[in-house]
Amino acid sequence: MRHAIEPDNSFIPVSRQCELLGLPRSSYYYQQCRDNSYNELLMRMIDEQYTRRPFYGSPRMTDWLRSQGELVNHKRVERLMRKMGIMAVVPGPHTSRPHPEHNVYPYLLRNLDINRADQVWAADITYIRMDKGFLYLVAIMDWFSRYVLSWRLSNSLDVYFCLEALEEALSISKPDIFNTDQGSQFTSPKHTDRLKDAQINISMDGRGRFQDNIFIERLWRSVKYEEVYLKNYSDGRGAFENLKNYFLFYNQERPHDSLGKRTPEHAYLFDKERIN
């Protein structure tokens, strides 16, 4: 009977719906609280498994959760993955789709020799769990050096925190090409028009192609395993401060084998000086 309650019904309050159904309000809110706590547990598990296996869509994620003893149905997992803003990175059923009215741009990086700073930037969004609840993190990275130019946290998947990160990055420099996935934040006219105004070529990953934005996917693994999974952020301020410290470490102290043991900041600034 609890499932007949429509919490988003703007005409009949939840209290009146409970009264009409003969359901005590306390029972409804207690069960709702239990559901929210369980959803947070499932989202934590999904986040960790997706970081390990980014090719898992909702059917395979459902099978994996069941193998861990969680008796969940596919619709619930699909809904949670959509809420988290993630989808499988191989062709197949997807839980997140581009906005049907937004333009999608071709992928420009195939067979491109990326050999200098500011040739290609990439942006992506990931899910950041907290002790209670979650946030979304967007970051913009220079592909050549792996340098993180800017990042922002948000409690919703709107375009504005992506625009704030873009403006900060553009205050530092400007790329020839800006690459993202086909998410609605990046296909939004607000985002694409800003890139066009700056005379930046727009590139977007092919649907479900993990390799198309491989370096920022590796960044997310580093962020999760070296920072997020080691801590329980109690609130947004704590998440911000810890991530700020991590990105300083990532840019200025963490050497990369692919950069000849240099840090991203050293590789980025050194190459810009070489070009100039």
Side-chain angles (χ1 to χ4, degrees), residues 151-167:
W151 58 277
R152 285 291 187 280
L153 284 171
S154 174
N155 59 7
S156 67
L157 277 171
D158 58 36
V159 69
Y160 296 104
F161 79 121
C162 298
L163 285 172
E164 289 179 1
L166 178 58
E167 290 298 340

Side-chain angles (χ1 to χ4, degrees), residues 159-178:
V159 69
Y160 296 104
F161 79 121
C162 298
L163 285 172
E164 289 179 1
L166 178 58
E167 290 298 340
E168 181 181 345
L170 290 176
S171 72
I172 298 171
S173 189
K174 187 181 81 168
D176 297 338
I177 300 172
F178 195 93

Side-chain angles (χ1 to χ4, degrees), residues 124-126 128 135-139 151-153 161 220 247:
D124 196 20
I125 300 170
T126 194
I128 298 295
L135 294 171
Y136 300 105
L137 169 66
V138 65
W151 58 277
R152 285 291 187 280
L153 284 171
F161 79 121
W220 292 151
F247 281 119

Side-chain angles (χ1 to χ4, degrees), residues 233-253:
Y233 305 140
S234 59
D235 53 32
R237 176 173 293 183
F240 175 83
E241 291 298 330
N242 279 276
L243 286 167
K244 180 176 72 172
N245 291 333
Y246 179 78
F247 281 119
L248 286 172
F249 159 76
Y250 180 90
N251 277 335
Q252 299 176 2
E253 298 181 41

Side-chain angles (χ1 to χ4, degrees), residues 45-181:
M45 296 178 70
I46 290 169
D47 176 46
E48 292 189 19
Q49 182 66 358
Y50 182 79
T51 302
R52 290 189 293 264
R53 304 285 186 266
F55 48 84
Y56 272 26
S58 54
R60 295 183 72 174
M61 191 66 74
T62 303
D63 291 341
W64 178 78
L65 287 167
R66 289 172 178 169
S67 75
Q68 303 302 302
E70 305 300 333
L71 301 179
V72 294
N73 62 46
H74 169 256
K75 289 185 177 180
R76 184 176 209 164
V77 176
E78 184 177 27
R79 176 172 56 83
L80 292 177
M81 290 182 70
R82 184 180 298 113
K83 186 175 184 179
M84 296 167 71
I86 61 177
M87 64 180 181
V89 290
V90 294
H94 298 289
T95 60
S96 178
R97 303 180 186 279
H99 193 289
E101 297 178 2
H102 292 176
N103 291 330
V104 173
Y105 293 77
Y107 184 66
L108 303 179
L109 308 187
R110 190 165 291 109
N111 300 321
L112 179 67
D113 180 22
I114 301 173
N115 54 28
R116 58 181 172 82
D118 292 338
Q119 183 180 1
V120 177
W121 289 0
D124 196 20
I125 300 170
T126 194
Y127 164 94
I128 298 295
R129 73 188 194 191
M130 298 195 297
D131 185 37
K132 294 187 180 298
F134 58 93
L135 294 171
Y136 300 105
L137 169 66
V138 65
I140 297 176
M141 166 191 276
D142 175 67
W143 256 41
F144 173 77
S145 63
R146 320 295 195 265
Y147 182 65
V148 177
L149 295 120
S150 65
W151 58 277
R152 285 291 187 280
L153 284 171
S154 174
N155 59 7
S156 67
L157 277 171
D158 58 36
V159 69
Y160 296 104
F161 79 121
C162 298
L163 285 172
E164 289 179 1
L166 178 58
E167 290 298 340
E168 181 181 345
L170 290 176
S171 72
I172 298 171
S173 189
K174 187 181 81 168
D176 297 338
I177 300 172
F178 195 93
N179 188 75
T180 67
D181 63 22

Side-chain angles (χ1 to χ4, degrees), residues 167-271:
E167 290 298 340
E168 181 181 345
L170 290 176
S171 72
I172 298 171
S173 189
K174 187 181 81 168
D176 297 338
I177 300 172
F178 195 93
N179 188 75
T180 67
D181 63 22
Q182 298 179 20
S184 60
Q185 301 82 10
F186 301 123
T187 60
S188 165
K190 291 184 175 66
H191 198 273
T192 56
D193 287 350
R194 181 65 184 92
L195 294 172
K196 291 176 185 176
D197 289 343
Q199 298 182 321
I200 297 169
N201 294 307
I202 301 171
S203 171
M204 292 184 178
D205 302 346
R207 291 299 307 282
R209 288 184 55 87
F210 175 60
Q211 296 295 326
D212 287 354
N213 215 354
I214 185 67
F215 295 131
I216 205 159
E217 294 292 343
R218 290 174 181 171
L219 170 67
W220 292 151
R221 286 202 294 272
S222 298
V223 170
K224 298 289 180 75
Y225 284 115
E226 297 175 7
E227 169 62 28
V228 177
Y229 294 161
L230 301 180
K231 302 173 182 177
N232 280 323
Y233 305 140
S234 59
D235 53 32
R237 176 173 293 183
F240 175 83
E241 291 298 330
N242 279 276
L243 286 167
K244 180 176 72 172
N245 291 333
Y246 179 78
F247 281 119
L248 286 172
F249 159 76
Y250 180 90
N251 277 335
Q252 299 176 2
E253 298 181 41
R254 189 182 187 278
H256 288 236
D257 290 338
S258 60
L259 299 175
K261 297 295 185 179
R262 294 181 297 170
T263 64
E265 182 177 76
H266 181 266
Y268 180 75
L269 296 178
F270 179 84
D271 198 66

